[in-house]
Amino acid sequence: EVRVRFAPSPTGYLHLGGLRTALYNYLYARNKKGKFLLRIEDTDQTRFLAGATESIIEDLQWAGIAIDEGPGQFGGPYGPYRQSERTQIYMENVQTLLKNGSAYRCFCTEKRLELLRKDAARTRQVPKYDNKCRYLEKEKMHELLDKGIPYCVRFKLTDYEEALHDLIYGDVYHNVSNSEGDPIIIKTDQFPTYHFANVVDDHLMAITHVFRGVEWQISTIKHLLMYKAFGWEPPNFGHLPLLINADGTKLSKRQDDIGIRHFRDRGYFPMAVLNYVISAGGGFRHQQYAKPTIHNMKELVEKFDIVSVNSHPSRLNPDVLNEFNRLELRELLQNDLTADVLIKQIQKLVRQTYPEEDLDLNSSHIKNVLQWSSQRLTFLQDLISPQLSFLWIKPSALHSSELKKDQLMALRNTLKSADFTKENLKKLLKDFAKQENVKFSLLMKVLRTSLSGLKEGPGVAEMMNILGKQVTLQRLEDSVQEKSTWNEPGQLKDTA
């Protein structure tokens, strides 16, 4: 069974790079009928951020990425799924490496290590540990242990001549022992480093495939050495290329606009964001970018192919994201259930924005507005801008002697059978003004007031097109009924 994992550190919130890693792991697992695990790598307690784990889980669920095994409510047979709860497991496993000579205790002080770094900087060399404690005699080691001197555990690097078979980049060769000293695998606080915990957990959790960012590719060579030292079969590895901005600069966690929370707050739909990530990174045979096409999760799972993931940096284009959001809105409107969810969202947004107004929130009216907006607007929130308030706020009473009641009635009857396209409405209104011997500008002024209660905004024909036939006729009807309680000079009738 294929088993993959997404293993974030709770030192910050989920961003586009992390979502991309989670998504590609998830698509691969689902495509192979496998399992997707969430493991929280919280061994660096100094950078732990309260609430980060919960936020990551919430963002993954928002994106439609279902967790099969993980911390808390998810559970599973290979827990615990938080590394901070697995320290005893790491301490037991490091004994194996200490006993077979693949690891050793290092008693070097931070002061000595700092001197090594300064010396390397002075001679313009890459700073690295000189492996001094690797050659410590047993008697000396026991003497230091008896004195209670703090120590860490380091792994012995050896020359690695075999290739890393990367599922995305092909065969990769790198001898880490030439450029690095022996790495720490258990810190002085008895917590494991990323490298050690990663290897132990992936093995004990039966992970079959590891997909992560290309920045970890060199570290994978070290991990393979650890698997060899344990006598374990390593999983398959694939490294995902860098995500870069439209201008070619590297994506940074410090950018405010790459957090998933940012996209959620702006009003992007989950599938729009997922398709955006995939459009940059590939993963699908014969993928075409000339014209964006939105795919649902089922389609992404069925078509995903890890071999088709790009090995070059993935450039993100925000304009494409906006187009994906409009495409997703159109897709959601095709389904009655999802359209109903959108309608309820609009009703809630409008009520929050205009709590004191008499509002027009009929479902068919809202759906008509959404159909119009899917060709023009990017976010649902755009529909509550002041310029579009006429969509929702019923106009106040029309008290005008500028147009006769029977003329309004005639116009309403003419519109009943009209085609409500913008161009047709323009022609119809011009013909009506000429037929009734009414100035076109006056007709536009009266209609704008009748339909919106506003003095400015979109053109009247466009306004009618957006409102749709049903709402337009109803607002004209309301205007006619209000006018029937007035005399032509604009005075109230004597109803006594």
Side-chain angles (χ1 to χ4, degrees):
E1 182 185 53
V2 165
R3 290 173 61 82
V4 302
R5 87 296 196 274
F6 176 52
S9 297
T11 55
Y13 301 111
L14 191 65
H15 55 85
L16 271 184
L19 179 67
R20 189 270 304 265
T21 300
L23 175 63
Y24 278 41
N25 274 281
Y26 179 77
L27 293 178
Y28 187 82
R30 287 293 183 268
N31 181 269
K32 303 296 182 184
K33 306 293 188 290
K35 292 287 195 296
F36 174 82
L37 285 68
L38 176 67
R39 186 173 73 222
I40 302 300
E41 302 199 336
D42 57 349
T43 56
D44 189 350
Q45 295 292 294
T46 60
R47 297 173 59 217
F48 177 79
L49 181 65
T53 298
E54 293 75 16
S55 176
I56 290 168
I57 290 171
E58 188 183 322
D59 286 342
L60 290 175
Q61 292 177 324
W62 170 82
I65 296 175
I67 299 165
D68 297 313
E69 297 175 28
Q73 73 267 33
F74 305 106
Y78 294 89
Y81 293 88
R82 294 179 194 270
Q83 288 187 336
S84 60
E85 298 172 6
R86 298 172 63 84
T87 52
Q88 188 58 39
I89 295 172
Y90 306 131
M91 295 309 294
E92 291 169 2
N93 279 273
V94 81
Q95 295 304 316
T96 301
L97 300 186
L98 287 168
K99 287 174 182 176
N100 69 19
S102 300
Y104 60 91
R105 295 174 177 85
C106 173
F107 298 89
C108 290
T109 63
E110 183 56 38
K111 184 177 180 181
R112 181 177 185 273
L113 297 177
E114 182 59 30
L115 287 173
L116 287 175
R117 284 190 284 268
K118 287 182 177 178
D119 191 52
R122 182 177 55 79
T123 57
R124 296 186 177 181
Q125 294 181 338
V126 178
K128 66 175 184 176
Y129 179 56
D130 59 2
N131 300 346
K132 176 187 174 183
C133 289
R134 182 197 275 212
Y135 308 103
L136 206 62
E137 294 180 354
K138 280 189 177 180
E139 293 78 8
K140 183 63 175 176
M141 182 191 72
H142 287 300
E143 180 186 325
L144 293 171
L145 285 174
D146 290 341
K147 289 182 179 179
I149 304 298
Y151 66 88
C152 64
V153 179
R154 291 182 182 270
F155 177 73
K156 291 181 181 178
L157 289 181
T158 57
D159 291 344
Y160 186 79
E161 300 302 335
E162 295 177 44
L164 159 63
H165 301 295
D166 195 305
L167 294 173
I168 295 168
Y169 284 83
D171 287 352
V172 177
Y173 294 87
H174 184 75
N175 191 335
V176 287
S177 64
N178 286 339
S179 56
E180 297 184 35
D182 293 339
I184 296 172
I185 55 175
I186 298 289
K187 296 175 285 187
T188 54
D189 62 4
Q190 303 301 293
F191 269 85
T193 58
Y194 165 82
H195 304 292
F196 185 68
N198 203 270
V199 168
V200 171
D201 288 344
D202 283 346
H203 173 72
L204 296 181
M205 293 181 178
I207 299 301
T208 61
H209 295 75
V210 173
F211 299 110
R212 56 190 174 197
V214 71
E215 64 270 21
W216 294 108
Q217 195 176 61
I218 300 303
S219 295
T220 300
I221 305 292
K222 283 186 280 196
H223 300 171
L224 290 173
L225 288 172
M226 289 186 207
Y227 279 104
K228 190 174 182 180
F230 274 116
W232 295 340
E233 184 72 24
N236 298 287
F237 290 95
H239 292 88
L240 305 172
L242 288 174
L243 282 179
I244 59 175
N245 293 303
D247 61 3
T249 57
K250 185 180 175 182
L251 222 61
S252 168
K253 292 180 183 179
R254 295 177 183 84
Q255 288 177 230
D256 293 333
D257 60 351
I258 67 165
I260 302 308
R261 180 62 56 179
H262 162 80
F263 295 105
R264 294 178 63 178
D265 291 344
R266 283 289 308 277
Y268 287 104
F269 296 111
M271 290 313 302
V273 177
L274 297 190
N275 278 266
Y276 176 49
V277 168
I278 282 166
S279 71
F284 301 85
R285 292 186 187 276
H286 314 301
Q287 188 170 0
Q288 299 296 322
Y289 302 117
K291 187 177 180 183
T293 304
I294 200 92
H295 296 286
N296 60 37
M297 188 68 88
K298 184 173 181 289
E299 292 168 335
L300 293 180
V301 166
E302 290 173 352
K303 297 177 181 180
F304 185 71
D305 179 14
I306 194 66
V307 176
S308 299
V309 173
N310 299 334
S311 59
H312 55 77
S314 305
R315 191 182 296 264
L316 294 166
N317 181 352
D319 292 336
V320 174
L321 173 58
N322 290 340
E323 178 59 23
F324 276 129
N325 217 50
R326 289 187 285 270
L327 287 170
E328 176 64 358
L329 175 56
R330 287 171 222 164
E331 283 293 317
L332 293 171
L333 288 170
Q334 299 301 313
N335 180 289
D336 288 341
L337 288 176
T338 51
D340 192 51
V341 171
L342 291 177
I343 289 168
K344 285 181 169 59
Q345 282 182 257
I346 290 294
Q347 288 171 335
K348 182 179 178 181
L349 278 172
V350 173
R351 287 190 181 107
Q352 288 174 343
T353 308
Y354 306 108
E356 305 297 326
E357 301 288 351
D358 184 14
L359 300 172
D360 195 342
L361 294 177
N362 179 276
S363 293
S364 60
H365 169 50
I366 294 174
K367 191 167 185 179
N368 188 63
V369 170
L370 286 170
Q371 294 283 9
W372 168 82
S373 69
S374 68
Q375 306 292 332
R376 298 163 178 81
L377 306 179
T378 302
F379 307 110
L380 292 183
Q381 288 92 321
D382 294 341
L383 289 170
I384 56 171
S385 66
Q387 295 89 336
L388 295 177
S389 62
F390 70 89
L391 292 170
W392 318 115
I393 302 174
K394 293 179 181 178
S396 53
L398 171 69
H399 305 318
S400 169
S401 60
E402 293 172 323
L403 209 64
K404 294 177 182 178
K405 173 186 169 183
D406 59 348
Q407 288 176 317
L408 279 174
M409 290 280 286
L411 176 59
R412 185 178 179 279
N413 290 333
T414 301
L415 289 170
K416 277 184 181 179
S417 58
D419 176 11
F420 255 60
T421 60
K422 182 178 169 182
E423 293 306 315
N424 186 64
L425 288 168
K426 277 184 180 178
K427 182 178 183 305
L428 184 149
L429 292 174
K430 284 181 180 177
D431 290 347
F432 181 83
K434 188 175 181 181
Q435 177 186 319
E436 294 291 323
N437 196 26
V438 175
K439 284 186 179 180
F440 185 68
S441 58
L442 173 62
L443 178 62
M444 293 302 97
K445 178 184 174 184
V446 171
L447 286 178
R448 181 182 298 282
T449 306
S450 299
L451 295 172
S452 71
L454 303 174
K455 292 183 178 179
E456 53 187 37
V460 171
E462 183 178 7
M463 190 181 288
M464 294 168 82
N465 172 247
I466 300 170
L467 289 170
K469 182 180 289 189
Q470 182 181 346
V471 174
T472 297
L473 294 177
Q474 184 59 55
R475 291 190 181 182
L476 286 176
E477 173 69 21
D478 293 343
S479 183
V480 169
Q481 288 179 354
E482 183 65 33
K483 194 171 180 65
S484 68
T485 65
W486 289 74
N487 286 323
E488 284 305 317
Q491 300 298 318
L492 275 172
K493 284 184 178 179
D494 184 0
T495 57

